[in-house]
Amino acid sequence: MTALMHRVAATHEFRGLRATEHHFTVPLDHGRPGGESITVFAREISLLEHEAPDTLPWLLYLQGGPGGQGPRVSSLTGWMAEAAKTFRILLLDQRGTGLSTPANRQSLPLRGDAAAQAAYLTHFRADSIVADAEAIRTELGITSWSTYGQSYGGFCTLTYLSFAPDALDRCLVTGGLGPLHGTPDDVYRATYARMAARNAEYFARYPEDRIVLNRIMRHVELEHEHLPDGRRITGGLVQMLGQFLGGNTRMDQLHFVFEGAFIATPAGPRLSDAFSEVLLHQASRAANPLYALMHESIYAQGGATGWAAERIAAEFPAFDPGSAEPLLTGEMVYSWYFREDPALRPLEDVARILAEHEHWPELYDAGQLASNTVPVAAAVYTDDVYVDRDISRATAGKVRGLQVWETADFHHDGIADDGAAIFARLLGMTTPTEVATA
């Protein structure tokens, strides 16, 4: 493996923790180590109470997404407080995010035209993220480490187990067992069905919000309302509030959004600034454009994705914004995002080329996973609207030795609710004694 350039920028100590900033220069294409390079950032976290942190085992955290940067830590809480008791934690800014070489509307034009930008982004999937992690592990002199993958981080974990299992001591996954085979079409058929059920649950709890949502949808058809970034509010944008339904407590927070939706003005009832601000937060991809650009590609192996969520939506007419009582959507990405979102509009042609791309390499090695020897424990959330329970269970059955803890007590953001307990449970499931007696 080609030696990396590695720079330690600074170490800071505060609130009982030590945070060290690492910058690594890695190949853009790990298959061409002498070619172009990019920077990947990672932050090392340990407790100050550990007088010899160098003796602790490492835990690599694989962030959800795609397109999400590693957590920014000002104090240790939740799963990280629990993990720091026994691990040094490495929080990775996956390529293109955070302090790693950026990939967004501002930086991507440096690549050239839309085709060149799209070709560049084909190196921003789980296979490249895992190759970055392996290069970093080697550079830091780590013989092997444990990983914890949340959501998309679980997808990356399965890729890691496929191609570099000898580097892994154990793997923990929460809400992140994606499909090993098939097409994005299968994923979206499952998630639309889950979202329909979650909508029914929500409106049964808050029936008055069904009335408010219907009123909002009619209102934005007739009145020109705008988000703070200038774009007109459409029914499709309003439906994006369904992202609240992916969480336990966040679902109830949605009720507070709806109850303050309208305000009286000299021009009659209008959408309140408070409502529009919340909607902007859900609708804008300025902070994480790779989420929209790469979202469907994380399922692609071989053929083109072809805007799968948009195509499959035709099979679920209740999600049509023009229907009598339209349902709220979830993590689906539609082509119109790139026409309307100012942060995505310059990338519309790039997104189209990626959606038409037909030569995505395989992300998993089914044979290696079937003979896996690395202890793996995964939390599967029964009613998860983003990573389908049935798909997760099918994937778990194809990974030798993978232990599943299925629970209906949490939704996709379970680690935000009780991350410490979830992490401790999964860690316990991967200890040798637990594995032997399971």
Side-chain angles (χ1 to χ4, degrees), residues 276-356:
S276 298
E277 189 67 32
V278 173
L279 184 55
L280 173 66
H281 182 72
Q282 299 302 308
S284 175
R285 292 299 170 197
N288 59 345
L290 284 179
Y291 177 90
L293 282 165
M294 304 302 295
H295 197 268
E296 293 195 354
S297 78
I298 69 176
Y299 303 107
Q301 299 184 87
T305 61
W307 299 112
E310 198 164 280
R311 288 186 291 98
I312 300 304
E315 301 176 16
F316 296 86
F319 288 93
D320 187 325
S323 64
E325 293 195 324
L327 300 183
L328 299 169
T329 56
E331 285 198 325
M332 300 78 170
V333 172
Y334 306 106
S335 63
W336 58 262
Y337 285 10
F338 293 87
R339 294 191 296 274
E340 297 187 7
D341 187 338
L344 298 178
R345 197 175 298 132
L347 302 172
E348 183 177 4
D349 286 342
V350 179
R352 175 186 54 77
I353 293 169
L354 288 171
E356 295 171 353

Coordinates of all heavy atoms in Angstrom, one line a residue, residues 276-356:
S276 N -41.9 28.1 7.7 CA -41.1 28.1 6.5 C -39.6 27.8 6.8 O -38.9 27.2 6.1 CB -41.2 29.5 5.8 OG -42.5 29.7 5.3
E277 N -39.2 28.3 8.0 CA -37.8 28.0 8.4 C -37.6 26.5 8.7 O -36.5 26.0 8.3 CB -37.5 28.8 9.7 CG -36.0 28.8 10.1 CD -35.1 29.6 9.1 OE1 -35.6 30.5 8.5 OE2 -34.0 29.1 9.0
V278 N -38.5 25.9 9.3 CA -38.4 24.4 9.6 C -38.4 23.7 8.2 O -37.6 22.8 8.0 CB -39.6 23.9 10.4 CG1 -39.6 22.4 10.5 CG2 -39.5 24.5 11.8
L279 N -39.3 24.1 7.3 CA -39.4 23.5 6.0 C -38.1 23.6 5.2 O -37.6 22.7 4.6 CB -40.5 24.0 5.2 CG -40.8 23.4 3.8 CD1 -41.0 21.9 4.0 CD2 -42.0 24.1 3.2
L280 N -37.5 24.8 5.3 CA -36.2 25.0 4.7 C -35.1 24.1 5.2 O -34.3 23.5 4.5 CB -35.7 26.5 4.9 CG -34.3 26.8 4.4 CD1 -34.2 26.7 2.9 CD2 -33.8 28.2 4.9
H281 N -35.1 23.9 6.5 CA -34.1 23.0 7.2 C -34.3 21.5 6.6 O -33.3 20.8 6.4 CB -34.3 23.0 8.7 CG -33.3 22.1 9.4 ND1 -32.0 22.4 9.5 CD2 -33.5 20.9 10.0 CE1 -31.4 21.5 10.2 NE2 -32.2 20.6 10.5
Q282 N -35.5 21.1 6.4 CA -35.8 19.8 5.8 C -35.5 19.7 4.4 O -35.1 18.6 3.9 CB -37.2 19.4 6.1 CG -37.6 19.3 7.5 CD -36.8 18.4 8.4 OE1 -36.6 17.2 8.0 NE2 -36.2 18.9 9.5
A283 N -35.7 20.8 3.6 CA -35.6 20.7 2.2 C -34.3 21.0 1.6 O -33.9 20.6 0.5 CB -36.7 21.7 1.6
S284 N -33.5 21.8 2.3 CA -32.2 22.3 1.7 C -31.1 21.2 1.8 O -31.0 20.5 2.9 CB -31.7 23.5 2.4 OG -30.4 23.9 1.9
R285 N -30.3 21.0 0.8 CA -29.2 20.1 0.8 C -27.9 20.9 0.7 O -26.8 20.4 0.3 CB -29.3 19.1 -0.4 CG -30.4 18.1 -0.2 CD -30.3 17.3 1.0 NE -31.4 16.5 1.3 CZ -31.7 15.9 2.5 NH1 -30.9 16.1 3.5 NH2 -32.8 15.2 2.7
A286 N -27.9 22.2 1.1 CA -26.7 23.0 1.1 C -25.6 22.4 1.9 O -24.4 22.5 1.6 CB -27.0 24.4 1.5
A287 N -25.9 21.8 3.1 CA -24.9 21.3 4.0 C -24.5 19.9 3.6 O -23.4 19.5 4.0 CB -25.5 21.3 5.4
N288 N -25.3 19.2 2.8 CA -24.9 17.8 2.5 C -25.4 17.4 1.1 O -26.2 16.5 0.9 CB -25.4 16.8 3.5 CG -27.0 16.8 3.7 OD1 -27.6 17.8 3.2 ND2 -27.5 15.8 4.3
P289 N -24.9 18.1 0.1 CA -25.3 17.8 -1.3 C -25.1 16.4 -1.8 O -25.8 15.9 -2.6 CB -24.6 18.8 -2.2 CG -23.3 19.1 -1.3 CD -23.8 19.1 0.1
L290 N -24.0 15.7 -1.2 CA -23.8 14.3 -1.6 C -24.9 13.4 -1.3 O -25.1 12.4 -1.9 CB -22.5 13.8 -1.0 CG -21.2 14.4 -1.6 CD1 -20.0 13.8 -0.8 CD2 -21.1 14.0 -3.0
Y291 N -25.7 13.8 -0.3 CA -26.8 13.0 0.1 C -27.8 12.8 -1.1 O -28.2 11.7 -1.5 CB -27.6 13.6 1.3 CG -28.9 12.9 1.6 CD1 -28.8 11.8 2.6 CD2 -30.1 13.2 1.0 CE1 -30.0 11.1 2.9 CE2 -31.2 12.5 1.3 CZ -31.2 11.5 2.3 OH -32.3 10.8 2.6
A292 N -28.1 13.9 -1.8 CA -29.0 13.9 -2.9 C -28.3 13.3 -4.1 O -28.8 12.5 -4.9 CB -29.5 15.3 -3.2
L293 N -27.0 13.7 -4.4 CA -26.3 13.2 -5.5 C -26.0 11.7 -5.5 O -26.1 11.1 -6.6 CB -24.9 14.0 -5.6 CG -25.0 15.4 -6.2 CD1 -23.6 16.1 -5.8 CD2 -25.2 15.4 -7.7
M294 N -25.7 11.2 -4.4 CA -25.2 9.8 -4.3 C -26.2 8.8 -3.7 O -26.0 7.6 -3.6 CB -23.9 9.7 -3.5 CG -22.8 10.6 -4.0 SD -22.3 10.3 -5.7 CE -21.7 8.6 -5.5
H295 N -27.4 9.3 -3.3 CA -28.3 8.5 -2.5 C -28.7 7.2 -3.2 O -28.6 6.1 -2.6 CB -29.5 9.3 -2.1 CG -30.3 8.7 -1.0 ND1 -31.3 7.8 -1.2 CD2 -30.1 8.8 0.4 CE1 -31.8 7.4 0.0 NE2 -31.1 8.0 1.0
E296 N -29.1 7.3 -4.4 CA -29.6 6.0 -5.0 C -28.4 5.2 -5.5 O -28.5 3.9 -5.5 CB -30.5 6.4 -6.2 CG -31.8 7.0 -5.8 CD -32.9 7.0 -6.8 OE1 -32.6 6.6 -8.0 OE2 -34.0 7.3 -6.5
S297 N -27.2 5.8 -5.7 CA -26.1 5.0 -6.1 C -25.6 4.0 -5.0 O -24.9 3.1 -5.3 CB -24.9 5.9 -6.5 OG -24.2 6.4 -5.4
I298 N -25.9 4.3 -3.7 CA -25.5 3.4 -2.7 C -26.1 2.0 -2.8 O -25.6 1.1 -2.2 CB -25.7 4.0 -1.3 CG1 -27.2 4.0 -0.9 CG2 -25.1 5.4 -1.2 CD1 -27.5 4.5 0.5
Y299 N -27.2 1.9 -3.6 CA -27.8 0.6 -3.8 C -27.4 0.0 -5.1 O -27.8 -1.1 -5.4 CB -29.3 0.8 -3.8 CG -29.9 1.3 -2.5 CD1 -30.4 2.6 -2.5 CD2 -29.9 0.6 -1.4 CE1 -30.9 3.2 -1.3 CE2 -30.4 1.1 -0.2 CZ -30.9 2.4 -0.2 OH -31.4 3.0 1.0
A300 N -26.7 0.7 -6.0 CA -26.4 0.3 -7.3 C -25.2 -0.7 -7.4 O -24.2 -0.4 -6.9 CB -26.1 1.5 -8.2
Q301 N -25.5 -1.7 -8.1 CA -24.4 -2.7 -8.4 C -24.7 -3.2 -9.8 O -25.5 -4.2 -10.0 CB -24.4 -3.8 -7.4 CG -24.1 -3.4 -6.0 CD -24.0 -4.5 -5.0 OE1 -22.9 -5.1 -4.8 NE2 -25.1 -4.8 -4.4
G302 N -24.0 -2.6 -10.8 CA -24.3 -3.1 -12.2 C -25.0 -2.0 -13.0 O -24.4 -1.2 -13.7
G303 N -26.3 -2.0 -12.9 CA -27.1 -1.1 -13.7 C -27.4 0.2 -13.2 O -27.0 0.6 -12.1
A304 N -28.0 1.1 -14.0 CA -28.4 2.4 -13.7 C -29.5 2.5 -12.7 O -30.4 1.6 -12.7 CB -28.7 3.2 -14.9
T305 N -29.6 3.5 -11.9 CA -30.7 3.7 -10.9 C -31.9 4.3 -11.5 O -33.0 4.0 -11.2 CB -30.2 4.5 -9.7 OG1 -29.8 5.8 -10.1 CG2 -29.0 3.8 -9.0
G306 N -31.7 5.3 -12.5 CA -32.7 5.8 -13.2 C -33.8 6.5 -12.4 O -35.0 6.4 -12.7
W307 N -33.4 7.2 -11.3 CA -34.4 7.9 -10.5 C -35.4 6.9 -10.0 O -36.6 7.1 -10.2 CB -35.0 9.1 -11.2 CG -34.1 10.2 -11.7 CD1 -33.8 10.5 -13.0 CD2 -33.4 11.1 -10.8 NE1 -32.9 11.5 -13.0 CE2 -32.6 11.9 -11.7 CE3 -33.2 11.3 -9.5 CZ2 -31.8 12.9 -11.2 CZ3 -32.4 12.3 -9.0 CH2 -31.7 13.1 -9.9
A308 N -34.9 5.9 -9.2 CA -35.8 4.8 -8.8 C -37.0 5.3 -7.9 O -38.1 4.9 -8.1 CB -35.0 3.8 -8.0
A309 N -36.7 6.2 -7.0 CA -37.7 6.7 -6.1 C -38.8 7.4 -6.8 O -40.0 7.2 -6.5 CB -37.1 7.6 -5.0
E310 N -38.5 8.1 -7.8 CA -39.4 8.9 -8.6 C -40.3 7.9 -9.5 O -41.5 8.0 -9.6 CB -38.7 9.8 -9.5 CG -39.5 10.9 -10.1 CD -38.6 12.1 -10.7 OE1 -38.2 12.9 -9.9 OE2 -38.4 12.1 -11.9
R311 N -39.6 6.9 -10.1 CA -40.4 5.9 -10.9 C -41.3 5.1 -10.0 O -42.5 4.9 -10.4 CB -39.4 5.0 -11.6 CG -38.6 5.7 -12.7 CD -37.8 4.7 -13.5 NE -36.6 4.2 -12.8 CZ -36.6 3.0 -12.1 NH1 -37.6 2.2 -12.1 NH2 -35.5 2.7 -11.5
I312 N -40.8 4.6 -8.9 CA -41.6 3.7 -8.0 C -42.8 4.5 -7.4 O -43.8 3.9 -7.0 CB -40.8 3.0 -7.0 CG1 -39.7 2.2 -7.7 CG2 -41.6 2.1 -6.1 CD1 -40.2 1.1 -8.7
A313 N -42.7 5.8 -7.2 CA -43.7 6.6 -6.7 C -45.0 6.4 -7.4 O -46.1 6.5 -6.8 CB -43.3 8.0 -6.6
A314 N -45.0 6.1 -8.7 CA -46.2 5.9 -9.5 C -47.0 4.7 -9.0 O -48.2 4.7 -9.3 CB -45.8 5.7 -11.0
E315 N -46.3 3.8 -8.3 CA -47.0 2.6 -7.8 C -47.7 2.9 -6.5 O -48.5 2.1 -6.0 CB -46.1 1.5 -7.6 CG -45.3 1.0 -8.9 CD -44.3 0.0 -8.7 OE1 -44.3 -0.7 -7.6 OE2 -43.4 -0.2 -9.5
F316 N -47.5 4.1 -5.9 CA -48.0 4.5 -4.7 C -48.7 5.9 -4.8 O -48.2 6.9 -4.3 CB -46.9 4.6 -3.6 CG -46.3 3.2 -3.3 CD1 -45.3 2.7 -4.1 CD2 -46.8 2.4 -2.3 CE1 -44.7 1.5 -3.9 CE2 -46.3 1.2 -2.0 CZ -45.2 0.7 -2.8
P317 N -49.9 6.0 -5.4 CA -50.5 7.3 -5.8 C -50.8 8.1 -4.5 O -51.0 9.3 -4.7 CB -51.8 6.8 -6.5 CG -52.0 5.4 -6.2 CD -50.7 4.8 -5.9
A318 N -50.9 7.5 -3.4 CA -51.2 8.3 -2.2 C -50.1 9.3 -1.9 O -50.3 10.3 -1.1 CB -51.4 7.4 -1.0
F319 N -48.9 9.1 -2.5 CA -47.8 10.1 -2.2 C -47.8 11.2 -3.3 O -46.9 12.0 -3.2 CB -46.5 9.3 -2.2 CG -46.3 8.5 -1.0 CD1 -46.6 7.1 -1.0 CD2 -45.7 9.1 0.1 CE1 -46.4 6.4 0.2 CE2 -45.5 8.3 1.3 CZ -45.9 7.0 1.3
D320 N -48.7 11.1 -4.3 CA -48.8 12.2 -5.3 C -49.2 13.4 -4.6 O -50.3 13.5 -4.0 CB -49.7 11.7 -6.4 CG -49.8 12.7 -7.6 OD1 -49.6 13.9 -7.3 OD2 -49.9 12.2 -8.7
P321 N -48.5 14.6 -4.7 CA -48.9 15.8 -4.1 C -50.3 16.3 -4.6 O -50.9 17.1 -3.9 CB -47.8 16.8 -4.4 CG -47.1 16.2 -5.6 CD -47.2 14.7 -5.4
G322 N -50.8 15.8 -5.7 CA -52.1 16.2 -6.2 C -53.2 15.3 -5.7 O -54.4 15.6 -6.1
S323 N -52.9 14.3 -4.9 CA -54.0 13.4 -4.4 C -54.8 14.1 -3.4 O -54.4 15.2 -2.9 CB -53.4 12.1 -3.8 OG -52.6 12.4 -2.7
A324 N -56.0 13.5 -3.1 CA -56.9 14.2 -2.2 C -56.3 14.5 -0.8 O -56.5 15.5 -0.2 CB -58.2 13.4 -2.1
E325 N -55.6 13.5 -0.3 CA -55.0 13.6 1.0 C -53.5 13.0 0.9 O -53.3 11.9 1.3 CB -55.8 12.9 2.1 CG -57.1 13.5 2.4 CD -57.7 13.0 3.7 OE1 -57.5 11.8 4.0 OE2 -58.4 13.8 4.4
P326 N -52.6 13.8 0.4 CA -51.3 13.3 0.1 C -50.5 12.9 1.4 O -50.7 13.6 2.4 CB -50.6 14.4 -0.7 CG -51.4 15.6 -0.3 CD -52.8 15.2 -0.1
L327 N -49.7 11.9 1.3 CA -48.9 11.4 2.4 C -47.6 12.1 2.4 O -47.1 12.6 1.3 CB -48.7 9.9 2.3 CG -50.0 9.0 2.3 CD1 -49.6 7.5 2.3 CD2 -50.8 9.4 3.6
L328 N -46.9 12.2 3.5 CA -45.6 12.7 3.7 C -44.6 11.7 3.2 O -44.7 10.5 3.4 CB -45.4 13.1 5.1 CG -46.3 14.1 5.7 CD1 -46.2 14.2 7.2 CD2 -46.1 15.5 5.1
T329 N -43.5 12.2 2.6 CA -42.4 11.4 2.0 C -41.3 11.3 3.1 O -41.4 11.9 4.1 CB -41.9 11.9 0.7 OG1 -41.5 13.3 0.9 CG2 -43.0 11.9 -0.4
G330 N -40.3 10.5 2.7 CA -39.2 10.3 3.6 C -37.9 10.6 3.0 O -37.6 11.8 2.7
E331 N -37.0 9.6 2.9 CA -35.6 9.9 2.4 C -35.5 9.8 0.9 O -34.4 9.7 0.4 CB -34.6 8.9 3.1 CG -34.3 9.2 4.5 CD -33.1 8.6 5.0 OE1 -32.8 7.4 4.6 OE2 -32.3 9.2 5.8
M332 N -36.6 9.7 0.2 CA -36.6 9.6 -1.2 C -36.0 10.9 -1.9 O -36.1 12.0 -1.4 CB -38.0 9.4 -1.8 CG -38.7 8.2 -1.3 SD -39.4 8.4 0.3 CE -40.4 6.9 0.5
V333 N -35.3 10.7 -3.0 CA -34.7 11.8 -3.7 C -35.3 11.8 -5.1 O -35.3 10.8 -5.8 CB -33.1 11.6 -3.8 CG1 -32.5 12.7 -4.7 CG2 -32.5 11.7 -2.4
Y334 N -35.8 13.0 -5.5 CA -36.4 13.1 -6.8 C -35.6 14.1 -7.7 O -34.9 15.0 -7.2 CB -37.8 13.7 -6.6 CG -38.7 12.9 -5.6 CD1 -39.0 13.3 -4.4 CD2 -39.2 11.6 -6.0 CE1 -39.7 12.6 -3.5 CE2 -40.0 10.9 -5.2 CZ -40.2 11.4 -3.9 OH -41.0 10.6 -3.0
S335 N -35.8 13.9 -9.0 CA -35.1 14.8 -9.9 C -35.4 16.2 -9.8 O -34.5 17.1 -10.0 CB -35.3 14.3 -11.4 OG -36.7 14.5 -11.7
W336 N -36.6 16.6 -9.4 CA -37.0 18.0 -9.3 C -36.2 18.7 -8.1 O -36.1 19.9 -8.1 CB -38.5 18.2 -9.1 CG -39.1 17.5 -7.9 CD1 -39.8 16.3 -7.9 CD2 -39.2 18.0 -6.6 NE1 -40.3 16.0 -6.7 CE2 -39.9 17.0 -5.8 CE3 -38.8 19.1 -5.9 CZ2 -40.2 17.2 -4.5 CZ3 -39.0 19.3 -4.6 CH2 -39.8 18.3 -3.8
Y337 N -35.6 17.9 -7.2 CA -34.8 18.6 -6.2 C -33.7 19.4 -6.9 O -33.4 20.5 -6.4 CB -34.1 17.5 -5.3 CG -34.9 16.8 -4.3 CD1 -36.3 16.9 -4.3 CD2 -34.3 16.0 -3.4 CE1 -37.0 16.2 -3.3 CE2 -35.0 15.3 -2.4 CZ -36.4 15.4 -2.4 OH -37.1 14.8 -1.4
F338 N -33.2 18.9 -8.0 CA -32.0 19.6 -8.6 C -32.4 20.7 -9.5 O -31.6 21.5 -10.0 CB -31.2 18.5 -9.4 CG -30.6 17.5 -8.6 CD1 -31.2 16.4 -8.2 CD2 -29.3 17.7 -8.1 CE1 -30.6 15.4 -7.3 CE2 -28.7 16.8 -7.3 CZ -29.3 15.6 -6.9
R339 N -33.7 20.9 -9.7 CA -34.2 22.1 -10.4 C -34.6 23.2 -9.4 O -34.6 24.3 -9.8 CB -35.5 21.7 -11.3 CG -35.2 20.8 -12.4 CD -36.3 20.6 -13.4 NE -37.5 20.1 -12.8 CZ -37.8 18.8 -12.7 NH1 -36.9 17.9 -13.2 NH2 -38.9 18.3 -12.1
E340 N -34.9 22.8 -8.2 CA -35.5 23.8 -7.3 C -34.5 24.2 -6.2 O -34.6 25.4 -5.7 CB -36.8 23.2 -6.7 CG -37.9 23.0 -7.7 CD -39.2 22.6 -7.1 OE1 -39.3 22.6 -5.8 OE2 -40.1 22.2 -7.8
D341 N -33.7 23.3 -5.7 CA -32.8 23.7 -4.5 C -31.6 24.4 -5.1 O -30.9 24.0 -5.9 CB -32.4 22.4 -3.9 CG -31.6 22.6 -2.6 OD1 -31.0 23.7 -2.4 OD2 -31.5 21.7 -1.8
P342 N -31.4 25.7 -4.6 CA -30.3 26.5 -5.1 C -28.9 25.8 -4.9 O -28.0 26.0 -5.7 CB -30.4 27.8 -4.3 CG -31.8 27.9 -3.9 CD -32.3 26.4 -3.7
A343 N -28.8 25.0 -3.8 CA -27.6 24.3 -3.6 C -27.3 23.1 -4.5 O -26.2 22.7 -4.7 CB -27.5 23.8 -2.1
L344 N -28.4 22.7 -5.2 CA -28.3 21.5 -6.1 C -28.5 21.9 -7.6 O -28.0 21.2 -8.5 CB -29.4 20.5 -5.7 CG -29.3 19.8 -4.4 CD1 -30.5 18.9 -4.2 CD2 -28.0 19.1 -4.1
R345 N -29.1 23.1 -7.8 CA -29.4 23.4 -9.2 C -28.2 23.4 -10.1 O -28.3 22.9 -11.3 CB -30.0 24.8 -9.2 CG -30.8 25.2 -10.5 CD -31.5 26.5 -10.4 NE -32.5 26.5 -9.3 CZ -32.6 27.4 -8.4 NH1 -31.8 28.4 -8.3 NH2 -33.6 27.3 -7.5
P346 N -27.0 23.9 -9.7 CA -25.8 23.8 -10.6 C -25.4 22.4 -10.9 O -24.5 22.2 -11.8 CB -24.7 24.6 -9.8 CG -25.5 25.4 -8.9 CD -26.7 24.6 -8.5
L347 N -25.9 21.4 -10.1 CA -25.5 20.0 -10.2 C -26.5 19.1 -10.9 O -26.4 17.9 -10.9 CB -25.2 19.4 -8.8 CG -24.1 20.2 -8.1 CD1 -24.0 19.7 -6.6 CD2 -22.7 20.1 -8.7
E348 N -27.5 19.8 -11.6 CA -28.6 19.0 -12.2 C -28.1 18.1 -13.2 O -28.5 16.9 -13.3 CB -29.6 20.0 -12.8 CG -30.8 19.2 -13.4 CD -31.9 20.2 -13.9 OE1 -31.7 21.4 -13.9 OE2 -33.0 19.6 -14.3
D349 N -27.2 18.5 -14.1 CA -26.7 17.6 -15.1 C -25.8 16.5 -14.6 O -25.8 15.4 -15.0 CB -25.9 18.4 -16.2 CG -26.8 19.2 -17.1 OD1 -28.0 18.9 -17.2 OD2 -26.3 20.2 -17.7
V350 N -25.1 16.8 -13.5 CA -24.3 15.8 -12.8 C -25.2 14.7 -12.3 O -24.9 13.5 -12.4 CB -23.4 16.5 -11.7 CG1 -22.6 15.4 -11.0 CG2 -22.6 17.6 -12.2
A351 N -26.2 15.1 -11.6 CA -27.2 14.2 -11.0 C -27.8 13.3 -12.1 O -28.0 12.1 -11.9 CB -28.3 14.9 -10.3
R352 N -28.1 13.9 -13.2 CA -28.7 13.1 -14.3 C -27.7 12.0 -14.9 O -28.1 10.9 -15.1 CB -29.2 14.0 -15.5 CG -29.7 13.3 -16.7 CD -29.9 14.3 -17.9 NE -28.8 15.1 -18.2 CZ -27.7 14.7 -18.9 NH1 -27.6 13.5 -19.3 NH2 -26.7 15.6 -19.1
I353 N -26.5 12.4 -15.0 CA -25.5 11.5 -15.5 C -25.3 10.4 -14.5 O -25.2 9.2 -14.9 CB -24.2 12.2 -15.8 CG1 -24.3 13.2 -16.9 CG2 -23.0 11.3 -16.1 CD1 -23.2 14.2 -17.1
L354 N -25.3 10.7 -13.2 CA -25.1 9.6 -12.2 C -26.3 8.7 -12.2 O -26.2 7.5 -12.1 CB -24.9 10.3 -10.8 CG -23.6 10.9 -10.6 CD1 -23.6 11.7 -9.3 CD2 -22.4 9.9 -10.6
A355 N -27.5 9.2 -12.4 CA -28.7 8.4 -12.5 C -28.7 7.5 -13.7 O -29.3 6.4 -13.7 CB -29.9 9.3 -12.5
E356 N -28.0 7.9 -14.8 CA -27.9 7.1 -16.0 C -26.7 6.2 -16.0 O -26.6 5.3 -16.9 CB -27.9 8.0 -17.2 CG -29.2 8.8 -17.4 CD -29.1 9.9 -18.4 OE1 -27.9 10.1 -19.0 OE2 -30.1 10.6 -18.8

